[in-house]
């Protein structure tokens, strides 16, 4: 009887310790939650990749992100998408309106960047047409692709953006709002429903100059 009770107690302790370790002391219970916590605790540097798009000649991404007080909110989309990408576009439209209505303080800037992971199809011309459909103001919201397939894969992997092609030529992918600082680091990940939190955080980061 005593032996059984001790064994049960040991199992409970082991289970508690395992759950604590897996959930960062019970702060998260999902893989996505763990990802967000880890990014907040340890920013993720963007790999060396080049981007191009309408109004964006081919150039390295990190220098484009750089600049004191500059913060970029990024999403990943593809122009043929008829589901979650449309929702992301709507979120960025609302963010753009907020930025237009509430200009930033001098020396601080928040920008929006939509990156296509379907680079072989989403040429700069197609991205330009897509941007016009969404009413994107290029001063605030730009579109780009990573033309090199291996670089695009490296960027998705580093930022833990999951993209899975299906049998119809479309993609299943996760949707999030990624906040990148002027050093080219992913510093926060927000859910698509947390647009206000994402924008407020980005504006605070830009104003504080901690980039």
């Amino acid at each position: 009887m005593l032996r059984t009770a001790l064994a049960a107690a040991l199992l409970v302790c082991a289970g508690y310790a395992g759950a604590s370790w897996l959930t960062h002391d019970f702060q998260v219970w999902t893989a996505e939650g763990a990802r967000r916590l880890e990014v907040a605790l340890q920013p993720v540097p963007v790999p060396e990749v080049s981007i191009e798009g309408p109004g964006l000649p081919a150039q390295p991404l990190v220098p484009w992100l750089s600049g004191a007080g500059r913060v970029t909110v990024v999403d990943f989309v593809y122009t043929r998408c008829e589901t979650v990408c449309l929702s992301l576009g709507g979120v960025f439209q609302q963010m753009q309106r907020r930025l237009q209505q509430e200009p930033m303080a001098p020396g601080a800037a928040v920008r929006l960047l939509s990156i296509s992971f379907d680079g072989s199809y989403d040429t700069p011309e197609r991205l330009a047409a897509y941007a016009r459909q969404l009413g994107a103001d290029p001063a605030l919201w730009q579109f780009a692709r990573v033309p090199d397939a291996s670089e695009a894969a490296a960027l998705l992997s580093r930022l833990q953006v999951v993209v899975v092609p299906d049998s119809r030529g479309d993609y299943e992918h996760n949707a999030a709002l990624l906040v990148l600082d002027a050093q080219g680091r992913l510093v926060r990940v927000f859910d698509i429903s947390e647009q206000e939190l994402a924008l407020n955080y980005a504006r605070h980061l830009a104003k504080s100059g901690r980039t």
Side-chain angles (χ1 to χ4, degrees):
M1 187 75 173
L2 180 59
R3 184 176 300 172
T4 301
L6 287 173
L10 287 172
L11 283 173
V12 169
C13 290
Y16 181 92
S20 176
W21 178 77
L22 287 171
T23 61
H24 295 271
D25 289 330
F26 302 99
Q27 295 179 70
V28 294
W29 283 100
T30 67
E32 182 64 15
R35 171 199 180 203
R36 296 178 187 185
L37 178 60
E38 288 165 0
V39 166
L41 295 174
Q42 183 63 53
V44 178
V46 171
E48 296 294 331
V49 302
S50 292
I51 59 169
E52 66 175 10
L56 284 175
Q59 59 189 288
L61 175 58
V62 173
W64 186 84
L65 294 169
S66 66
R70 180 171 288 173
V71 178
T72 307
V73 183
V74 176
D75 68 357
F76 284 84
V77 298
Y78 67 109
T79 63
R80 293 180 287 177
C81 179
E82 297 180 353
T83 54
V84 69
C85 299
L86 296 180
S87 298
L88 285 167
V91 166
F92 267 29
Q93 286 174 328
Q94 294 177 51
M95 285 187 168
Q96 177 177 264
R97 282 195 291 271
R98 284 273 307 276
L99 291 169
Q100 290 170 330
Q101 294 166 0
E102 305 169 19
M104 291 291 297
V110 173
R111 300 176 299 175
L112 309 175
L113 177 64
S114 293
I115 301 178
S116 170
F117 50 75
D118 190 11
S120 61
Y121 180 85
D122 286 337
T123 62
E125 293 74 23
R126 286 195 172 101
L127 289 172
Y130 192 66
R132 287 193 296 271
Q133 291 174 13
L134 292 172
D137 177 356
L140 294 171
W141 181 7
Q142 292 184 290
F143 289 74
R145 67 171 183 168
V146 181
D148 184 277
S150 61
E151 289 187 358
L155 180 62
L156 294 173
S157 176
R158 180 70 60 84
L159 301 184
Q160 297 186 43
V161 178
V162 178
V163 176
V164 181
D166 64 20
S167 59
R168 303 182 304 276
D170 293 320
Y171 299 90
E172 297 291 337
H173 62 101
N174 55 349
L177 307 174
L178 313 181
V179 180
L180 278 66
D181 68 11
Q183 299 176 46
R185 302 179 305 169
L186 173 63
V187 293
R188 285 292 190 282
V189 179
F190 292 92
D191 187 77
I192 187 173
S193 65
E194 298 174 321
Q195 57 178 289
E196 187 170 354
L197 284 174
L199 185 56
N200 287 342
Y201 177 78
R203 291 175 69 89
H204 170 73
L205 194 62
K207 288 178 180 179
S208 70
R210 290 187 291 108
T211 61

